[in-house]
Amino acid sequence: MSTAPRRTAVRPRTARLLPVLLAAAALALPVGCAAPGELRDHGAVTPVTPSPARVPLWPGAVTAASPTPLEPTGSRSPEPAPQPVPDLTVPGQDVTAVDVRALVTKDPGVTQDERRVLEPCPGCELRAPEFRDLTGDGRPELLLAVGLADTVVLHVYTASGDRLLPIHRVSLLKEFGAETVGTDLWLYEPTGSFRTGRLYRWDGVRLALADQKVEGIGPTPEPEPTPPTAEKPVVEKPPGTGPSAATGGGAGAGVVKPSAPSRPTSTPSAGSDAAVGKQPQPTPARPAPPTATPTAVPTAVPLPETKP
């Protein structure tokens, strides 16, 4: 009988333990440590939400200067909560399926002048509706612009179940600019060298005025100066040179009235007299200097002779 020691097969067990030891060694190493200057893994990057873009409303409409006074929000009285438009439902809670002509007819907030757009009306215009999310619920609102001869009335509606709520109404001048930035509504009205912008934002009940600003868009052109007109000289006519004196007509024909004598200040010249139509006055002659009268020299008178 052989007495050699019995060998135990350990290779398979060692082969099975090797991956476990390597995994334990990997877990024992510090995680996220790196030498200075090397890249480190900080996990997944938080996605960045892009800023909302400006989307114009009615881009085909022409925008021109339209001054509109701004009413401060503090002076307005609280308005009642909006009420649904009577006798009008929203099919499938989708405002894009609302009949716009029926909305203009049934909404009490639409005036009688605005309803004239449903008939032939000079200068009236019912613009195609726009749809933008202004309440932040992910569903669009209905924006309707009713244009009259001089103004445009902007209406905004939102769906509340199967009913339609009016949440904003503002009267603007004929040509205005409008755009949405996310859920914000901006209305622009340029006037002269300035542009007024008003921001409307959803406050849970309606679109309320949140901000307003005035921007300069260019210098105001100055009116051209009017050239001064040259004054015509007034020529004085001497008496007796009018048409009545020349034709001999009238009651005072042929009668020449002497003018009031004036004190001469300087010797008039011939050129100036001819310019004003006056007759030249003769210059008085200066007196001749007196001549010396010869003094008579007495002559000697002979004396009578005396006789001795």
Side-chain angles (χ1 to χ4, degrees):
M1 176 180 286
S2 175
T3 58
R6 193 175 182 178
R7 296 181 178 179
T8 306
V10 295
R11 287 185 179 181
R13 182 179 299 179
T14 305
R16 290 195 301 268
L17 292 177
L18 183 59
V20 178
L21 295 175
L22 294 176
L27 293 176
L29 294 176
V31 180
C33 296
E38 295 182 2
L39 297 177
R40 297 183 180 182
D41 186 6
H42 295 280
V45 179
T46 304
V48 178
T49 303
S51 301
R54 295 178 177 270
V55 183
L57 293 165
W58 298 286
V62 180
T63 302
S66 303
T68 299
L70 296 178
E71 183 182 3
T73 57
S75 62
R76 293 183 296 182
S77 59
E79 299 178 6
Q83 299 298 321
V85 178
D87 302 329
L88 185 68
T89 58
V90 181
Q93 302 182 7
D94 183 10
V95 294
T96 62
V98 174
D99 186 357
V100 175
R101 298 180 67 88
L103 174 59
V104 173
T105 304
K106 297 180 179 181
D107 184 8
V110 177
T111 63
Q112 193 64 31
D113 289 341
E114 296 177 61
R115 293 193 177 99
R116 294 171 55 195
V117 298
L118 303 177
E119 304 172 357
C121 172
C124 299
E125 175 190 12
L126 181 60
R127 298 186 183 181
E130 293 274 1
F131 303 97
R132 303 290 169 83
D133 182 12
L134 300 177
T135 60
D137 60 354
R139 298 183 301 175
E141 274 64 50
L142 168 62
L143 294 93
L144 185 64
V146 180
L148 302 178
D150 299 324
T151 60
V152 174
V153 182
L154 176 62
H155 299 266
V156 184
Y157 302 89
T158 187
S160 176
D162 61 346
R163 306 301 298 274
L164 197 63
L165 287 177
I167 60 174
H168 186 63
R169 181 184 184 276
V170 61
S171 180
L172 307 166
L173 292 188
K174 188 65 176 179
E175 298 170 345
F176 69 98
E179 64 182 6
T180 57
V181 184
T183 59
D184 294 340
L185 173 63
W186 278 97
L187 301 178
Y188 300 101
E189 291 184 305
T191 167
S193 59
F194 298 94
R195 184 178 71 164
T196 301
R198 289 181 287 179
L199 168 62
Y200 293 93
R201 185 171 293 165
W202 175 249
D203 63 356
V205 180
R206 60 176 54 85
L207 292 180
L209 181 63
D211 191 15
Q212 58 189 16
K213 61 181 179 179
V214 179
E215 301 174 315
I217 58 177
T220 303
E222 298 182 358
E224 298 182 358
T226 305
T229 56
E231 297 182 359
K232 297 181 179 180
V234 179
V235 180
E236 298 181 359
K237 294 183 180 181
T241 59
S244 60
T247 57
V255 180
V256 179
K257 297 181 180 180
S259 58
S262 59
R263 181 179 299 175
T265 57
S266 61
T267 303
S269 60
S272 60
D273 292 339
V276 298
K278 293 183 179 181
Q279 298 296 331
Q281 300 294 332
T283 305
R286 295 182 178 179
T291 57
T293 304
T295 305
V297 179
T299 56
V301 179
L303 299 175
E305 294 182 358
T306 57
K307 293 180 179 184

